[in-house]
Amino acid sequence: MSASAKPSKAQSVRDRLLDAAGILFYNYGINATGIDMITAKAGVAKMSLYNNFASKSELVAAFIELRHQEWLDLYAARLAPAASPKERVMAVFDAYRDHAEYDYENGFRGCGLLNAAAELTVGDKGREAVRRHKEEVEHFLIQHLQEWRTQTGKTLTAEQVKMTAEHLAFLLEGSFSRAGLEGNSKRVQHARRLAESILAGL
């Protein structure tokens, strides 16, 4: 998640375009961001964009994929030191907190993927990619809850595990939406505490 798009000789033109597009899409929205804005911020010629992306839609798709991978990287960093299934559940919340606390150019304004999906039409491949991302997050919660059930000997059915994961996912996404409105991670931190209390009550 790039806070700025300062050209670097080490960066390829494609990466510079993606960094610039990511910042501008997040700051102003996809529809309000034109090709000229992106190439100016990336410091490249307009033709460079079309040499790397067939269209703006292809650039948007690459942006969504990049944001997905960036979140996976945040999650992997939080997951690595997690020593128990419960800590691995909390790692998902901590990755969202890290997302909220990143040094964004114009401040934190919620989930960049959901913001992008809100601008895309129903059936758009980008919206489908965002949906798959959210489903993957929920799948991680299911995995960790299954491990937690086994470790603790809880008599939860597979359906109860799935419902709990869905509950936690809704809690997470709701807190993130509120965090975006408030411009800080406090709601996500509170959601993490609520998640711990939910597990303690099972």
Side-chain angles (χ1 to χ4, degrees):
M1 297 172 190
S2 301
S4 62
K6 296 177 181 178
S8 166
K9 291 181 179 179
Q11 274 191 313
S12 68
V13 170
R14 187 179 190 277
D15 287 342
R16 285 161 61 180
L17 286 164
L18 266 176
D19 280 354
I23 293 165
L24 294 170
F25 289 161
Y26 191 77
N27 287 350
Y28 308 112
I30 291 170
N31 294 330
T33 299
I35 297 301
D36 289 343
M37 293 172 65
I38 295 169
T39 54
K41 192 164 188 67
V44 301
K46 188 173 182 178
M47 187 54 65
S48 297
L49 189 143
Y50 294 109
N51 287 338
N52 287 274
F53 301 96
S55 63
K56 183 179 176 182
S57 294
E58 188 175 297
L59 175 59
V60 170
F63 155 73
I64 289 172
E65 178 58 33
L66 178 63
R67 285 295 176 266
H68 171 61
Q69 186 57 53
E70 286 175 341
W71 185 84
L72 289 177
D73 291 343
L74 291 176
Y75 167 63
R78 285 293 190 169
L79 191 63
S84 69
K86 178 185 174 183
E87 289 177 3
R88 289 191 276 277
V89 171
M90 295 304 124
V92 179
F93 283 80
D94 291 335
Y96 269 62
R97 176 182 175 179
D98 291 340
H99 181 356
E101 292 180 349
Y102 194 81
D103 184 23
Y104 296 98
E105 187 176 77
N106 287 354
F108 173 62
R109 53 185 299 270
C111 177
L113 289 176
L114 286 182
N115 292 348
E119 294 193 66
L120 302 174
T121 58
V122 173
D124 187 278
K125 291 181 180 179
R127 283 178 64 93
E128 292 301 304
V130 174
R131 177 183 59 78
R132 289 193 299 272
H133 166 76
K134 297 302 182 182
E135 289 174 346
E136 186 169 359
V137 172
E138 191 168 326
H139 180 67
F140 290 145
L141 290 169
I142 290 173
Q143 281 185 314
H144 301 323
L145 285 170
Q146 287 172 336
E147 295 168 354
W148 173 79
R149 176 185 61 178
T150 300
Q151 184 188 68
T152 60
K154 297 287 185 179
T155 56
L156 297 175
T157 65
E159 184 61 25
Q160 286 174 317
V161 168
K162 185 178 177 181
M163 287 180 63
T164 302
E166 187 176 25
H167 188 172
L168 294 181
F170 287 164
L171 174 62
L172 184 58
E173 294 299 336
S175 71
F176 211 58
S177 294
R178 289 291 298 274
L181 288 172
E182 295 168 15
N184 59 63
S185 66
K186 290 180 181 179
R187 292 287 180 176
V188 182
Q189 295 177 53
H190 185 54
R192 188 189 195 280
R193 292 192 293 271
L194 291 175
E196 289 182 312
S197 69
I198 288 169
L199 292 186
L202 291 175

